[in-house]
Amino acid sequence: QKEVEQNSGPLSVPEGAIASLNCTYSDRGSQSFFWYRQYSGKSPELIMFIYSNGDKEDGRFTAQLNKASQYVSLLIRDSQPSDSATYLCAGLNDYKLSFGAGTTVTVRA
Amino acid sequence: EAGVAQSPRYKIIEKRQSVAFWCNPISGHATLYWYQQILGQGPKLLIQFQNNGVVDDSQLPKDRFSAERLKGVDSTLKIQPAKLEDSAVYLCASSFTQGFRETQYFGPGTRLLVL
């Protein structure tokens, strides 16, 4: 079983819509979770991280964490064509970051 | 602030050859990571250094991969001999320390193709 699993893509949304990305993790010792965005051929860049249950908002992005359900999500509001990328979910446990395979999002103009 | 630097950016070698990658982390960052990212997958941690000591190398194929971080700054990752399945992007990342809120910053990566 993979430590971090993401909903299979690709995900296609129209411009201005909400993109919803989901991630589940198996290691209950995971302390914090990170969402990275990776454009094709580029390296991952951090969007946001979350370590407490509940919601965390940053601009058009909202991360949600539910430790009881071992579930993390990322909502992208008012999606823009520039949001088209692969989104990587990662969980941190014992200083080690484990990544999911990523979900590719395409925003249609 | 300068980001994580890596070189070379691209490398093509034949199987059984050797190759080395170099990484210079963000100034002041004590923790350095090497990841392998195969096409269509998320990055996989190969080795993690705290200053010049190894914190985790459990997923490093030690029969062919080696890494060092002399003086706690720059790091090199070596593959000897390379196999076809080593074709991937090798990402170096660094963070100020290794706390649970620490952000890892990634370099541009080295794309390796083994023929």
Side-chain angles (χ1 to χ4, degrees), chain A residues 13-20 37 59-62 75-84 87 105 107-108:
Chain A
V13 298
E15 185 173 356
I18 296 175
S20 177
R37 177 176 61 199
R60 295 186 295 110
F61 299 95
T62 299
L75 298 178
I76 308 174
R77 291 183 302 281
D78 188 24
S79 295
Q80 302 297 308
S82 60
D83 295 326
S84 298
Y87 291 80
V105 174
V107 180
R108 309 187 305 271

Side-chain angles (χ1 to χ4, degrees), chain A residues 3 31-34 36 38-46 49 51 88 92 94-102, chain B residues 33 35 37 40-43 45 48 55-56 58-59 91 98-109 111:
Chain A
E3 291 185 26
Q31 300 162 294
S32 51
F33 299 87
F34 299 76
Y36 282 84
Q38 187 172 29
Y39 292 113
S40 180
K42 302 295 185 182
S43 58
E45 55 179 337
L46 183 73
F49 70 89
Y51 53 88
L88 298 164
L92 184 70
D94 198 21
Y95 309 123
K96 179 180 172 181
L97 204 59
S98 296
F99 284 86
Chain B
Y33 316 79
Y35 289 89
Q37 186 174 23
Q41 300 181 18
L45 180 68
Q48 177 177 339
V55 175
D56 188 320
S58 58
Q59 298 192 93
L91 295 163
Q98 54 180 10
F100 74 98
R101 301 184 192 185
E102 285 297 325
T103 297
Q104 295 185 22
Y105 297 91
F106 285 82
R111 281 163 177 72

Side-chain angles (χ1 to χ4, degrees), chain A residues 64-89:
Chain A
Q64 299 173 317
L65 173 59
N66 183 325
K67 291 187 177 180
S69 300
Q70 296 178 248
Y71 174 88
V72 191
S73 67
L74 180 71
L75 298 178
I76 308 174
R77 291 183 302 281
D78 188 24
S79 295
Q80 302 297 308
S82 60
D83 295 326
S84 298
T86 295
Y87 291 80
L88 298 164
C89 172

Side-chain angles (χ1 to χ4, degrees), chain B residues 33-55:
Chain B
Y33 316 79
W34 282 103
Y35 289 89
Q36 179 193 59
Q37 186 174 23
I38 293 172
L39 188 64
Q41 300 181 18
K44 181 183 82 172
L45 180 68
L46 293 176
I47 189 166
Q48 177 177 339
F49 294 93
Q50 178 71 11
N51 296 310
N52 61 347
V54 175
V55 175

Side-chain angles (χ1 to χ4, degrees), chain A residues 96, chain B residues 36 44-49 54-68 77-83 86:
Chain A
K96 179 180 172 181
Chain B
Q36 179 193 59
K44 181 183 82 172
L45 180 68
L46 293 176
I47 189 166
Q48 177 177 339
F49 294 93
V54 175
V55 175
D56 188 320
D57 63 357
S58 58
Q59 298 192 93
L60 186 73
K62 298 181 186 63
D63 58 333
R64 298 184 301 107
F65 286 64
S66 64
E68 61 181 9
L77 176 69
K78 297 179 181 178
I79 308 175
Q80 180 179 10
K83 293 185 175 182
D86 297 332

Side-chain angles (χ1 to χ4, degrees), chain B residues 2-46:
Chain B
V4 177
Q6 290 187 247
S7 68
R9 296 293 309 276
Y10 305 91
K11 192 73 176 180
I12 300 174
I13 61 173
E14 295 187 350
K15 60 183 179 183
R16 292 187 289 273
Q17 285 188 324
S18 302
V19 64
F21 312 128
W22 173 82
C23 173
N24 181 245
I26 293 173
S27 178
H29 281 195
T31 313
L32 185 147
Y33 316 79
W34 282 103
Y35 289 89
Q36 179 193 59
Q37 186 174 23
I38 293 172
L39 188 64
Q41 300 181 18
K44 181 183 82 172
L45 180 68
L46 293 176

